[in-house]
Amino acid sequence: MSDKTRDFLRHIVATVAYRAGKAIRNAPTNFPDFKIGESTKTPIQILSHMGDLYDWALSQVRGEEMWKESETLEWNEEVERFFSALASVDKYLSSDSEIHTPIERLVQGPIADSLTHIGQIAMLRRLADSPVKGENYFKASVEIGRVGKEQDPPIYEFD
């Protein structure tokens, strides 16, 4: 796999970190358990699932695919677990280790799924009267390797 392909995958992971960070940053204390219906997931359940997705992605790239549904932790612990899982995937992608899964499947599976869930969390923030501002993400400061919860501030948000 070319360095260019690895860099592109790492850019996608950094994009996930940027967007997830924005969706969860400054969430009110009652937000993790916010529920809009009997059969809907809460934000903390969604975030826990996102951590599971990146644990799964790491197992795929290592060639030891395994799905594990983790027990849901407290909100701040789930935030840390999610970003730690992203960092583990990024670290593997930054190495010379072989990627043991088709990258197209990695993107269409866990990565695309996580982007859907980030959108769900952002929508739930709005429904919980704690909206996240829209943004021109094309202009956002997304950097390969910056996959933690600390991200640059938005360059151009919408009111």
Side-chain angles (χ1 to χ4, degrees):
M1 177 174 301
S2 74
D3 286 345
K4 194 171 189 168
T5 302
R6 282 181 180 266
D7 285 348
F8 183 65
L9 276 172
R10 292 185 69 210
H11 184 81
I12 294 171
V13 172
T15 299
V16 168
Y18 182 88
R19 287 181 172 236
K22 181 166 183 157
I24 64 176
R25 190 175 304 111
N26 301 320
T29 55
N30 63 341
F31 180 69
D33 298 314
F34 180 73
K35 198 165 179 88
I36 60 170
E38 289 301 314
S39 64
T40 61
K41 301 270 188 208
T42 62
I44 197 164
Q45 290 170 320
I46 296 169
L47 185 59
S48 178
H49 175 66
M50 289 168 54
D52 293 343
L53 286 171
Y54 281 91
D55 289 344
W56 179 45
L58 182 61
S59 76
Q60 290 174 326
V61 297
R62 287 182 171 164
E64 11 178 272
E65 183 174 354
M66 181 184 74
W67 174 260
K68 179 184 171 222
E69 191 169 329
S70 299
E71 195 170 313
T72 303
L73 306 171
E74 295 296 320
W75 180 256
N76 290 334
E77 292 173 292
E78 285 298 348
V79 169
E80 294 302 323
R81 185 173 85 85
F82 170 71
F83 285 107
S84 176
L86 274 182
S88 294
V89 170
D90 183 68
K91 183 177 180 180
Y92 191 90
L93 293 174
S94 72
S95 75
D96 291 332
S97 298
E98 182 180 351
I99 295 176
H100 296 275
T101 193
I103 61 163
E104 298 85 357
R105 299 261 180 195
L106 193 62
V107 171
Q108 79 187 36
I111 293 173
D113 198 19
S114 71
L115 288 167
T116 297
H117 295 312
I118 292 166
Q120 290 172 325
I121 289 173
M123 181 186 68
L124 288 170
R125 286 284 301 267
R126 184 167 296 280
L127 292 171
D129 292 325
S130 178
V132 176
K133 285 188 172 186
E135 179 177 346
N136 181 339
Y137 289 102
F138 183 83
K139 295 183 178 192
S141 177
V142 174
E143 232 177 77
I144 290 173
R146 189 171 47 214
V147 294
K149 67 180 178 179
E150 300 303 322
Q151 297 287 322
D152 283 352
I155 293 173
Y156 186 77
E157 285 185 312
F158 308 118
D159 289 326

